[in-house]
């Protein structure tokens, strides 16, 4: 079967995504600080413009990594890996108990083969 995880791009508070991004950084306080500052700048500077009859409106995006930014796909993909896959599908015991034969993912697209009657 296949699974689409496009809605995962709109999930997660900024602070949650930053915490996930920091867990993969080296144990160097300067690099951790730089990654945190960069993540805060990118994730807290997302707005959507909705045109209207007048000047249109801008809304601040409060959840997720956004869509369309160069960093969005990698941020959401890494968050999905850390929050979902590392706790489930990458665990051999989980795969065995759920009869998972194969699992492949490319960003938001998942292909999974499961043994079932």
């Amino acid at each position: 079967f296949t699974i689409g995880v496009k809605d995962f791009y709109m999930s997660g508070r900024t602070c949650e995504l930053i915490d996930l991004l920091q867990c993969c950084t080296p144990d160097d306080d300067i690099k951790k600080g730089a990654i945190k500052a960069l993540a805060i700048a990118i994730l807290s500077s997302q707005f959507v413009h909705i045109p209207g009859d007048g000047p249109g409106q801008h809304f601040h995006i409060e959840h997720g990594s956004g869509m369309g930014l160069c960093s969005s796909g990698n941020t959401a993909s890494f968050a999905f890996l850390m929050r979902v896959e590392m706790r489930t599908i990458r665990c051999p015991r989980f795969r065995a108990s759920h009869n998972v034969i194969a699992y492949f993912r490319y960003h938001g697209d998942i292909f999974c083969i499961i043994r079932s009657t």
Side-chain angles (χ1 to χ4, degrees), residues 32-79:
K32 279 189 185 291
I35 288 174
K36 183 176 183 175
L38 180 61
I40 289 170
I42 292 171
L43 294 172
S44 63
S45 302
Q46 299 181 95
F47 294 86
V48 64
H49 173 77
I50 299 175
D53 293 337
Q57 298 180 356
H58 292 82
F59 296 94
H60 182 251
I61 296 175
E62 297 181 3
H63 286 84
S65 64
M67 296 285 272
L69 296 173
C70 294
S71 61
S72 300
N74 290 333
T75 301
S77 187
F78 184 74

Short mmCIF file of all heavy atoms in Angstrom, two decimals, residues 32-79:
data_model
loop_
_atom_site.label_atom_id
_atom_site.label_comp_id
_atom_site.label_asym_id
_atom_site.label_seq_id
_atom_site.Cartn_x
_atom_site.Cartn_y
_atom_site.Cartn_z
N LYS A 32 25.35 24.33 17.59
CA LYS A 32 23.98 24.17 18.07
C LYS A 32 23.26 25.53 18.08
O LYS A 32 22.12 25.64 17.66
CB LYS A 32 23.94 23.56 19.46
CG LYS A 32 24.10 22.07 19.49
CD LYS A 32 23.82 21.55 20.90
CE LYS A 32 24.08 20.08 21.00
NZ LYS A 32 23.13 19.26 20.26
N GLY A 33 23.95 26.55 18.57
CA GLY A 33 23.36 27.90 18.62
C GLY A 33 23.08 28.44 17.23
O GLY A 33 22.03 29.07 17.00
N ALA A 34 23.98 28.19 16.29
CA ALA A 34 23.80 28.67 14.92
C ALA A 34 22.61 27.96 14.26
O ALA A 34 21.80 28.61 13.59
CB ALA A 34 25.07 28.45 14.12
N ILE A 35 22.51 26.65 14.46
CA ILE A 35 21.40 25.90 13.87
C ILE A 35 20.08 26.36 14.48
O ILE A 35 19.09 26.55 13.77
CB ILE A 35 21.60 24.39 14.03
CG1 ILE A 35 22.71 23.95 13.08
CG2 ILE A 35 20.32 23.61 13.76
CD1 ILE A 35 23.13 22.51 13.22
N LYS A 36 20.07 26.56 15.78
CA LYS A 36 18.84 27.03 16.45
C LYS A 36 18.43 28.40 15.92
O LYS A 36 17.26 28.63 15.61
CB LYS A 36 19.04 27.07 17.95
CG LYS A 36 17.79 27.48 18.69
CD LYS A 36 17.98 27.41 20.19
CE LYS A 36 16.67 27.76 20.89
NZ LYS A 36 16.76 27.60 22.33
N ALA A 37 19.39 29.33 15.81
CA ALA A 37 19.08 30.67 15.33
C ALA A 37 18.56 30.64 13.89
O ALA A 37 17.60 31.34 13.55
CB ALA A 37 20.33 31.56 15.42
N LEU A 38 19.19 29.81 13.07
CA LEU A 38 18.75 29.69 11.67
C LEU A 38 17.35 29.09 11.60
O LEU A 38 16.49 29.58 10.86
CB LEU A 38 19.74 28.82 10.89
CG LEU A 38 19.42 28.60 9.42
CD1 LEU A 38 19.41 29.93 8.67
CD2 LEU A 38 20.43 27.65 8.81
N ALA A 39 17.09 28.04 12.37
CA ALA A 39 15.78 27.40 12.37
C ALA A 39 14.70 28.37 12.86
O ALA A 39 13.61 28.43 12.29
CB ALA A 39 15.80 26.14 13.23
N ILE A 40 15.00 29.12 13.90
CA ILE A 40 14.03 30.11 14.41
C ILE A 40 13.74 31.15 13.34
O ILE A 40 12.57 31.50 13.09
CB ILE A 40 14.55 30.79 15.69
CG1 ILE A 40 14.51 29.79 16.86
CG2 ILE A 40 13.74 32.03 16.03
CD1 ILE A 40 15.21 30.28 18.12
N ALA A 41 14.78 31.65 12.68
CA ALA A 41 14.59 32.67 11.65
C ALA A 41 13.73 32.16 10.51
O ALA A 41 12.81 32.84 10.04
CB ALA A 41 15.95 33.13 11.12
N ILE A 42 13.99 30.92 10.06
CA ILE A 42 13.23 30.37 8.93
C ILE A 42 11.81 30.02 9.33
O ILE A 42 10.84 30.42 8.67
CB ILE A 42 13.95 29.13 8.35
CG1 ILE A 42 15.26 29.56 7.67
CG2 ILE A 42 13.05 28.40 7.36
CD1 ILE A 42 16.14 28.41 7.27
N LEU A 43 11.66 29.28 10.43
CA LEU A 43 10.34 28.77 10.79
C LEU A 43 9.40 29.85 11.33
O LEU A 43 8.19 29.72 11.22
CB LEU A 43 10.48 27.64 11.81
CG LEU A 43 11.17 26.38 11.28
CD1 LEU A 43 11.42 25.40 12.41
CD2 LEU A 43 10.33 25.73 10.17
N SER A 44 9.95 30.91 11.90
CA SER A 44 9.07 31.95 12.44
C SER A 44 8.83 33.09 11.45
O SER A 44 8.14 34.05 11.77
CB SER A 44 9.65 32.51 13.75
OG SER A 44 10.88 33.14 13.51
N SER A 45 9.39 32.98 10.26
CA SER A 45 9.24 34.04 9.25
C SER A 45 8.36 33.60 8.08
O SER A 45 8.52 34.09 6.97
CB SER A 45 10.61 34.46 8.72
OG SER A 45 11.42 34.91 9.77
N GLN A 46 7.45 32.69 8.34
CA GLN A 46 6.61 32.17 7.26
C GLN A 46 5.24 32.85 7.29
O GLN A 46 4.60 32.90 8.33
CB GLN A 46 6.43 30.67 7.42
CG GLN A 46 7.73 29.91 7.35
CD GLN A 46 7.50 28.43 7.48
OE1 GLN A 46 7.41 27.75 6.49
NE2 GLN A 46 7.39 27.96 8.71
N PHE A 47 4.85 33.36 6.14
CA PHE A 47 3.56 34.02 6.01
C PHE A 47 2.88 33.54 4.74
O PHE A 47 3.54 33.13 3.80
CB PHE A 47 3.73 35.55 5.95
CG PHE A 47 4.26 36.13 7.22
CD1 PHE A 47 5.63 36.20 7.46
CD2 PHE A 47 3.39 36.61 8.18
CE1 PHE A 47 6.12 36.73 8.64
CE2 PHE A 47 3.87 37.14 9.37
CZ PHE A 47 5.23 37.21 9.59
N VAL A 48 1.57 33.59 4.74
CA VAL A 48 0.81 33.28 3.54
C VAL A 48 0.01 34.53 3.18
O VAL A 48 -0.49 35.24 4.05
CB VAL A 48 -0.11 32.04 3.75
CG1 VAL A 48 -1.16 32.32 4.80
CG2 VAL A 48 -0.74 31.61 2.45
N HIS A 49 -0.05 34.81 1.90
CA HIS A 49 -0.79 35.97 1.40
C HIS A 49 -2.05 35.48 0.71
O HIS A 49 -1.99 34.64 -0.18
CB HIS A 49 0.08 36.77 0.42
CG HIS A 49 -0.67 37.88 -0.25
ND1 HIS A 49 -0.97 39.06 0.39
CD2 HIS A 49 -1.19 37.97 -1.50
CE1 HIS A 49 -1.64 39.83 -0.44
NE2 HIS A 49 -1.78 39.19 -1.59
N ILE A 50 -3.18 36.01 1.14
CA ILE A 50 -4.45 35.66 0.51
C ILE A 50 -4.98 36.93 -0.15
O ILE A 50 -5.34 37.89 0.53
CB ILE A 50 -5.46 35.11 1.54
CG1 ILE A 50 -4.89 33.85 2.17
CG2 ILE A 50 -6.81 34.86 0.89
CD1 ILE A 50 -5.72 33.26 3.27
N PRO A 51 -4.99 36.92 -1.48
CA PRO A 51 -5.47 38.12 -2.17
C PRO A 51 -6.97 38.30 -1.96
O PRO A 51 -7.71 37.32 -1.85
CB PRO A 51 -5.13 37.87 -3.64
CG PRO A 51 -4.92 36.41 -3.75
CD PRO A 51 -4.56 35.89 -2.40
N GLY A 52 -7.40 39.52 -1.91
CA GLY A 52 -8.82 39.82 -1.75
C GLY A 52 -9.21 40.98 -2.63
O GLY A 52 -8.47 41.41 -3.51
N ASP A 53 -10.41 41.50 -2.38
CA ASP A 53 -10.88 42.65 -3.15
C ASP A 53 -10.04 43.89 -2.85
O ASP A 53 -9.81 44.70 -3.72
CB ASP A 53 -12.35 42.94 -2.81
CG ASP A 53 -13.27 41.82 -3.30
OD1 ASP A 53 -12.86 41.10 -4.23
OD2 ASP A 53 -14.36 41.67 -2.74
N GLY A 54 -9.58 43.98 -1.62
CA GLY A 54 -8.76 45.12 -1.22
C GLY A 54 -7.28 44.78 -1.34
O GLY A 54 -6.85 44.11 -2.26
N PRO A 55 -6.51 45.21 -0.35
CA PRO A 55 -5.06 45.01 -0.41
C PRO A 55 -4.62 43.58 -0.12
O PRO A 55 -3.45 43.27 -0.20
CB PRO A 55 -4.54 45.96 0.67
CG PRO A 55 -5.67 46.10 1.63
CD PRO A 55 -6.93 45.99 0.80
N GLY A 56 -5.55 42.70 0.21
CA GLY A 56 -5.17 41.33 0.55
C GLY A 56 -4.76 41.23 2.00
O GLY A 56 -4.64 42.23 2.70
N GLN A 57 -4.56 40.02 2.46
CA GLN A 57 -4.22 39.82 3.86
C GLN A 57 -3.04 38.88 3.98
O GLN A 57 -2.87 37.98 3.17
CB GLN A 57 -5.43 39.24 4.60
CG GLN A 57 -6.62 40.16 4.60
CD GLN A 57 -7.79 39.55 5.36
OE1 GLN A 57 -7.73 38.43 5.83
NE2 GLN A 57 -8.86 40.31 5.49
N HIS A 58 -2.25 39.11 5.01
CA HIS A 58 -1.11 38.26 5.32
C HIS A 58 -1.36 37.57 6.65
O HIS A 58 -1.80 38.21 7.61
CB HIS A 58 0.19 39.08 5.41
CG HIS A 58 0.61 39.64 4.10
ND1 HIS A 58 0.08 40.78 3.58
CD2 HIS A 58 1.50 39.18 3.19
CE1 HIS A 58 0.64 41.02 2.41
NE2 HIS A 58 1.50 40.07 2.14
N PHE A 59 -1.08 36.27 6.70
CA PHE A 59 -1.28 35.51 7.92
C PHE A 59 0.02 34.80 8.29
O PHE A 59 0.70 34.24 7.42
CB PHE A 59 -2.40 34.47 7.75
CG PHE A 59 -3.74 35.08 7.48
CD1 PHE A 59 -4.19 35.26 6.19
CD2 PHE A 59 -4.54 35.49 8.54
CE1 PHE A 59 -5.42 35.83 5.94
CE2 PHE A 59 -5.78 36.06 8.30
CZ PHE A 59 -6.23 36.23 7.00
N HIS A 60 0.35 34.86 9.56
CA HIS A 60 1.55 34.20 10.06
C HIS A 60 1.28 32.70 10.20
O HIS A 60 0.27 32.30 10.75
CB HIS A 60 1.93 34.79 11.42
CG HIS A 60 3.18 34.21 11.98
ND1 HIS A 60 3.20 33.38 13.06
CD2 HIS A 60 4.48 34.34 11.58
CE1 HIS A 60 4.44 33.02 13.32
NE2 HIS A 60 5.23 33.59 12.43
N ILE A 61 2.19 31.88 9.70
CA ILE A 61 2.05 30.43 9.82
C ILE A 61 2.65 30.00 11.15
O ILE A 61 3.81 30.29 11.44
CB ILE A 61 2.75 29.72 8.64
CG1 ILE A 61 2.06 30.10 7.35
CG2 ILE A 61 2.77 28.21 8.85
CD1 ILE A 61 2.69 29.58 6.11
N GLU A 62 1.85 29.34 11.96
CA GLU A 62 2.28 28.98 13.30
C GLU A 62 2.63 27.51 13.47
O GLU A 62 3.20 27.14 14.49
CB GLU A 62 1.18 29.36 14.30
CG GLU A 62 0.92 30.85 14.35
CD GLU A 62 -0.14 31.23 15.36
OE1 GLU A 62 -0.63 30.34 16.07
OE2 GLU A 62 -0.47 32.41 15.42
N HIS A 63 2.29 26.69 12.51
CA HIS A 63 2.57 25.26 12.61
C HIS A 63 3.24 24.76 11.34
O HIS A 63 2.88 25.18 10.24
CB HIS A 63 1.29 24.46 12.85
CG HIS A 63 0.74 24.60 14.22
ND1 HIS A 63 -0.06 25.65 14.59
CD2 HIS A 63 0.92 23.85 15.32
CE1 HIS A 63 -0.39 25.53 15.86
NE2 HIS A 63 0.20 24.45 16.33
N GLY A 64 4.17 23.85 11.51
CA GLY A 64 4.77 23.15 10.38
C GLY A 64 5.97 23.85 9.78
O GLY A 64 6.37 24.94 10.17
N SER A 65 6.56 23.15 8.82
CA SER A 65 7.76 23.66 8.16
C SER A 65 7.42 24.46 6.91
O SER A 65 8.32 24.93 6.23
CB SER A 65 8.68 22.50 7.80
OG SER A 65 8.05 21.64 6.86
N GLY A 66 6.15 24.60 6.61
CA GLY A 66 5.73 25.37 5.44
C GLY A 66 5.81 24.56 4.16
O GLY A 66 6.25 23.42 4.15
N MET A 67 5.38 25.14 3.10
CA MET A 67 5.43 24.50 1.79
C MET A 67 6.07 25.48 0.83
O MET A 67 5.75 26.67 0.84
CB MET A 67 4.02 24.15 1.30
CG MET A 67 3.29 23.14 2.16
SD MET A 67 3.90 21.50 1.94
CE MET A 67 2.90 20.95 0.60
N GLY A 68 7.00 25.00 0.03
CA GLY A 68 7.60 25.84 -0.99
C GLY A 68 8.96 26.41 -0.65
O GLY A 68 9.70 26.80 -1.55
N LEU A 69 9.31 26.46 0.62
CA LEU A 69 10.65 26.93 0.97
C LEU A 69 11.66 25.83 0.69
O LEU A 69 11.34 24.64 0.76
CB LEU A 69 10.72 27.31 2.45
CG LEU A 69 9.85 28.46 2.92
CD1 LEU A 69 9.91 28.59 4.43
CD2 LEU A 69 10.30 29.75 2.27
N CYS A 70 12.89 26.19 0.39
CA CYS A 70 13.93 25.18 0.13
C CYS A 70 14.13 24.26 1.32
O CYS A 70 14.44 23.08 1.16
CB CYS A 70 15.24 25.87 -0.23
SG CYS A 70 15.18 26.75 -1.78
N SER A 71 13.94 24.77 2.51
CA SER A 71 14.19 23.99 3.73
C SER A 71 12.97 23.17 4.17
O SER A 71 13.09 22.28 5.01
CB SER A 71 14.58 24.93 4.87
OG SER A 71 13.52 25.84 5.12
N SER A 72 11.80 23.45 3.62
CA SER A 72 10.56 22.83 4.10
C SER A 72 10.57 21.31 3.99
O SER A 72 10.24 20.62 4.95
CB SER A 72 9.36 23.37 3.32
OG SER A 72 9.24 24.75 3.49
N GLY A 73 10.91 20.81 2.83
CA GLY A 73 10.89 19.36 2.62
C GLY A 73 11.84 18.62 3.54
O GLY A 73 11.47 17.62 4.16
N ASN A 74 13.06 19.11 3.65
CA ASN A 74 14.03 18.44 4.51
C ASN A 74 13.67 18.54 5.98
O ASN A 74 13.86 17.58 6.74
CB ASN A 74 15.44 19.01 4.27
CG ASN A 74 15.99 18.62 2.93
OD1 ASN A 74 15.63 17.59 2.38
ND2 ASN A 74 16.85 19.45 2.37
N THR A 75 13.13 19.67 6.40
CA THR A 75 12.72 19.83 7.80
C THR A 75 11.59 18.87 8.14
O THR A 75 11.64 18.15 9.13
CB THR A 75 12.28 21.28 8.08
OG1 THR A 75 13.38 22.15 7.79
CG2 THR A 75 11.85 21.46 9.52
N ALA A 76 10.56 18.83 7.30
CA ALA A 76 9.43 17.92 7.54
C ALA A 76 9.85 16.47 7.44
O ALA A 76 9.43 15.63 8.23
CB ALA A 76 8.30 18.21 6.56
N SER A 77 10.72 16.15 6.49
CA SER A 77 11.19 14.79 6.32
C SER A 77 11.98 14.33 7.54
O SER A 77 11.80 13.21 8.04
CB SER A 77 12.06 14.69 5.06
OG SER A 77 12.40 13.36 4.79
N PHE A 78 12.85 15.19 8.05
CA PHE A 78 13.63 14.84 9.23
C PHE A 78 12.74 14.72 10.46
O PHE A 78 12.91 13.82 11.28
CB PHE A 78 14.73 15.88 9.47
CG PHE A 78 15.62 15.53 10.62
CD1 PHE A 78 16.55 14.52 10.50
CD2 PHE A 78 15.50 16.19 11.83
CE1 PHE A 78 17.36 14.17 11.57
CE2 PHE A 78 16.31 15.85 12.90
CZ PHE A 78 17.25 14.84 12.77
N ALA A 79 11.77 15.61 10.59
CA ALA A 79 10.84 15.54 11.73
C ALA A 79 10.04 14.24 11.68
O ALA A 79 9.84 13.59 12.71
CB ALA A 79 9.90 16.75 11.72
#
